[in-house]
Amino acid sequence: MNDQHWGPTISGDIVVIGGGSAGIGLLASLLKRDPQLNIILIEPSAEHYYQPAWTLVGGGAHDIRKTMRPMARVLPDGVTWVQAAVSQVLPDEQALVLDSGQRVTWNNLIVCPGLRLAWEKIEGLEQTLGHHGVTSNYSYQHAPYTWQRVQQLKGGKAIFTQPAMPIKCAGAPQKAMYLSCDHWLKQGDLDNIDVEFNLAGAALFGVATFVPPLMKYVEKYGARLAFNSNLIKVDGPAGKAWFEVKDAEGNVSIEEKSFDMLHVVPPQVAPDFIRHSPLADAAGWCEVDPHSLQQVRYPHIFALGDVCSTSNAKTAAAVRKQIVVVAENLLALRKQAPLPLKYDGYGSCPLTVEKGKVVLAEFGYGGRLLPTFALDPTVARRSAWFLKATLLPWFYWNGMLKGREWLTRLAKVE
């Protein structure tokens, strides 16, 4: 740890907030372009997680221990790591305030702290999560419990939930259902289990092209879809959940449902220090130009990852392309040159519809399909499962976090 951490003020040329996929990947890409850069990382966690595999963990197809590494192991050489949390962003002063009260000043700021899982917004959830059949693949701690419950359940009611958008990986809530149903089907238990998927929204998936192939699996598993149904309260010991349900006229009623297993996806919000800062848009996300990823009011600031106001799917695949845009555009800005790259909204959601098959949904702004491979993207394939379960985790640790920018072709600014 650098001694300056304990001084009254730390000054960095480039300061990066957040050591997740976006932060570590960007650090590696920047230092590959210019190893002499003076960069400070602000990140409180001692661990780094590969979150896309947690759905697989919940389906019994991945080891949870392989999804975590110490932050010190993934941090590129040449970065000063300040292990603290940001409490305030003061862009007009080009300064941050840390939870210790210490100030950090910068010439350029990169904002990528991710988002916050707002478990507390569902009454009773925090007290029962991980017990009484209440689980979530959105948590390192609880994804293994999902698989435990799936194996134990031989009959009864299984409810899966999805909150209002935006959330990390919009397909993950239903992936939990598909992998669970696939196991119950293979065990001969599915006929004894009533499966229901409650979505706060009005569509199964945001890109209409992928709804028909997904509906085939919904029908195959005999799952019921409850649209405009948002989880608001849980009583784990009683096995009851309450949903706010909107009808076609917009009238809201409360419905109580019993369960034997409840897979919860919590509401998701921007971190408080972003929401309550001049960087935020009306919804609290860091407001950026959707193509350059430059902050709209403070040109010396860029943002990427889940904290952004961009309308892309919040996935690691989106980050993979955003890293290149921010690295190139930031370095161009520092040379007072035009920003060369445009982000096209690319995101990928490998929809694990059964153990061994994936529908590889890749799309950009406006739902435009952006397939990497010359195959029909609506077909569930074994090759896409291999990509999701084997190749992508390997590439994440050995490629993306090392500054290897494979499959990141982007449009140049004309």
Side-chain angles (χ1 to χ4, degrees):
M1 187 66 67
N2 195 308
D3 287 344
Q4 65 184 342
H5 171 56
W6 306 110
T9 299
I10 308 168
S11 293
D13 187 17
I14 300 171
V15 171
V16 176
I17 305 174
S21 305
I24 299 296
L26 179 70
L27 290 172
S29 285
L30 282 172
L31 289 166
K32 243 183 166 178
R33 287 169 170 78
D34 183 354
Q36 305 308 313
L37 289 170
N38 166 20
I39 310 180
I40 290 174
L41 170 69
I42 313 289
E43 169 54 58
S45 178
E47 290 83 34
H48 180 98
Y49 299 96
Y50 178 60
Q51 296 176 29
W54 291 351
T55 301
L56 297 175
V57 171
H62 202 88
D63 182 348
I64 191 70
R65 293 167 297 184
K66 291 182 177 173
T67 70
M68 189 273 283
R69 292 190 183 176
M71 188 68 68
R73 264 183 67 196
V74 300
L75 192 65
D77 292 338
V79 175
T80 300
W81 174 24
V82 176
Q83 194 174 350
V86 175
S87 60
Q88 204 178 359
V89 184
L90 305 168
D92 292 308
E93 299 173 40
Q94 294 191 208
L96 305 171
V97 180
L98 304 182
D99 53 1
S100 61
Q102 194 170 27
R103 285 169 69 92
V104 181
T105 60
W106 73 78
N107 290 319
N108 290 107
L109 180 68
I110 312 292
V111 179
C112 49
L115 51 69
R116 187 175 74 78
L117 302 175
W119 305 99
E120 78 287 350
K121 286 181 180 264
I122 299 170
E123 187 184 336
L125 177 59
E126 289 174 297
Q127 296 90 301
T128 194
L129 193 59
H131 306 283
H132 310 293
V134 181
T135 188
S136 180
N137 289 343
Y138 275 68
S139 156
Y140 177 84
Q141 188 183 347
H142 299 113
Y145 181 58
T146 302
W147 178 232
Q148 185 186 322
R149 264 323 272 148
V150 167
Q151 291 174 290
Q152 289 168 346
L153 196 66
K154 303 296 178 187
K157 177 81 174 274
I159 298 178
F160 297 82
T161 76
Q162 178 172 307
M165 294 294 161
I167 62 169
K168 295 187 207 201
C169 188
Q174 59 189 290
K175 290 192 259 188
M177 175 177 70
Y178 299 139
L179 286 175
S180 301
C181 287
D182 182 57
H183 175 77
W184 293 326
L185 181 65
K186 286 169 179 164
Q187 295 299 309
D189 295 321
L190 188 57
D191 287 345
N192 305 318
I193 300 172
D194 181 11
V195 178
E196 189 175 286
F197 187 33
N198 285 257
L199 308 88
L204 180 61
F205 196 68
V207 181
T209 307
F210 297 103
V211 172
L214 294 174
M215 280 305 300
K216 281 185 192 163
Y217 278 91
V218 170
E219 288 156 14
K220 174 183 174 179
Y221 297 135
R224 260 201 330 281
L225 301 179
F227 293 110
N228 301 306
S229 178
N230 185 42
L231 179 66
I232 57 167
K233 182 180 173 185
V234 179
D235 182 338
K240 292 188 185 303
W242 288 264
F243 295 83
E244 210 171 63
V245 180
K246 252 189 215 161
D247 67 15
E249 282 75 49
N251 302 311
V252 175
S253 59
I254 306 296
E255 278 188 31
E256 179 191 297
K257 301 184 181 187
S258 298
F259 64 84
D260 297 283
M261 173 181 164
L262 177 67
H263 180 271
V264 180
V265 177
Q268 294 164 38
V269 296
D272 289 351
F273 70 86
I274 295 297
R275 279 198 304 153
H276 305 307
S277 80
L279 303 183
D281 67 4
W285 304 98
C286 186
E287 192 170 8
V288 295
D289 177 279
H291 297 293
S292 70
L293 303 180
Q294 189 176 33
Q295 217 284 331
V296 293
R297 288 175 293 282
Y298 299 94
H300 56 289
I301 299 175
F302 288 83
L304 68 160
D306 293 348
V307 79
C308 281
S309 62
T310 48
S311 62
N312 60 276
K314 294 184 184 294
T315 67
V319 166
R320 182 164 50 82
K321 292 210 175 186
Q322 290 174 352
I323 283 168
V324 183
V325 174
V326 172
E328 289 283 335
N329 287 354
L330 171 68
L331 294 179
L333 179 80
R334 288 165 63 85
K335 292 173 185 161
Q336 298 179 315
L339 307 190
L341 287 187
K342 283 173 74 171
Y343 174 54
D344 54 10
Y346 174 85
S348 169
C349 205
L351 293 151
T352 45
V353 288
E354 60 181 280
K355 194 170 181 178
K357 281 196 179 175
V358 163
V359 172
L360 186 57
E362 296 176 282
F363 46 90
Y365 288 138
R368 189 163 70 94
L369 299 193
L370 295 171
T372 301
F373 308 103
L375 297 165
D376 181 350
T378 64
V379 176
R381 299 179 190 277
R382 292 196 177 281
S383 57
W385 173 270
F386 173 74
L387 180 76
K388 162 75 179 168
T390 305
L391 197 58
L392 287 178
W394 178 88
F395 168 69
Y396 181 81
W397 298 114
N398 301 291
M400 185 169 150
L401 298 191
K402 308 282 189 193
R404 296 188 175 96
E405 296 165 0
W406 303 336
L407 303 174
T408 56
R409 191 165 48 84
L410 288 145
K412 299 266 184 194
V413 176
E414 297 300 325

